[in-house]
Amino acid sequence: MKTLDREHVRSVVNTIFSQLLHTTSIDVINSWGISKMYATQIVKSVNGEDFTMAALVMQVNGFQFQGKIYIALDEGSDYYRIYGEKDGTTKGYHHDIAFDELGDVLDSMIETGGMTKEEYQAKVKEFVCSVSIDFLK
């Protein structure tokens, strides 16, 4: 396994995070229930070959997905790859994502799952009401 230089990983992950923040509303990012975020390197099979990539890891708790999300920059193509992991198993995978699509793909994977805006707002309202009721008990 190829090991990436620590500074290189940090630099790539800073780019991932910066592009995510500049293309995605903070309200959307906050809706993902991020409890942990860190930089790492991952090894994934790309076209039959093991490929080492720097990745931003987020522990999320959304409506559609709860677990770890790995956002990796495929430096060869300059596109992103996103992997969802739950209980040690890859549960979702998206590739060839441009920087300006990153937030929308993540939001669909973690939170909205293809719901219409109205369906999503109804689900949020239902969730807030259930939390409020539990809080008042």
Side-chain angles (χ1 to χ4, degrees), residues 40 94 126 128:
T40 192
H94 299 275
E126 177 185 319
V128 169

Side-chain angles (χ1 to χ4, degrees), residues 69-71 80-84 92-94 97 102 105-106 109:
I69 296 289
Y70 295 81
I71 307 166
Y80 287 103
R81 294 176 172 271
I82 301 173
Y83 303 90
Y93 167 67
H94 299 275
I97 301 162
L102 191 57
V105 172
L106 286 165
M109 185 177 181

Side-chain angles (χ1 to χ4, degrees), residues 37-55:
M37 200 178 320
Y38 57 93
T40 192
Q41 61 181 329
I42 60 173
V43 178
K44 292 291 183 180
S45 180
V46 177
N47 299 325
E49 282 188 48
D50 283 346
F51 193 59
T52 305
M53 297 174 277

Side-chain angles (χ1 to χ4, degrees), residues 8 14 20 23 28 45 54 60 67 69 74 76 80 82-83 96-97 116 120 123 128:
H8 179 72
N14 281 338
L20 181 61
T23 60
V28 170
S45 180
V60 300
I69 296 289
D74 180 342
Y80 287 103
I82 301 173
Y83 303 90
D96 297 334
I97 301 162
T116 66
Y120 178 70
K123 189 160 182 123
V128 169

Side-chain angles (χ1 to χ4, degrees), residues 21-36:
L21 285 177
H22 286 90
T23 60
T24 311
S25 165
I26 195 67
D27 293 337
V28 170
I29 293 171
N30 284 337
S31 75
W32 301 338
I34 300 169
S35 61
K36 193 178 199 180

Side-chain angles (χ1 to χ4, degrees), residues 61-95:
N61 187 22
F63 284 137
Q64 303 298 321
F65 185 82
Q66 303 83 38
K68 289 182 182 176
I69 296 289
Y70 295 81
I71 307 166
L73 179 60
D74 180 342
E75 294 180 82
S77 68
D78 207 24
Y79 284 101
Y80 287 103
R81 294 176 172 271
I82 301 173
Y83 303 90
E85 180 183 279
K86 191 169 185 172
D87 302 323
T89 304
T90 301
K91 298 290 184 183
Y93 167 67
H94 299 275
H95 61 87

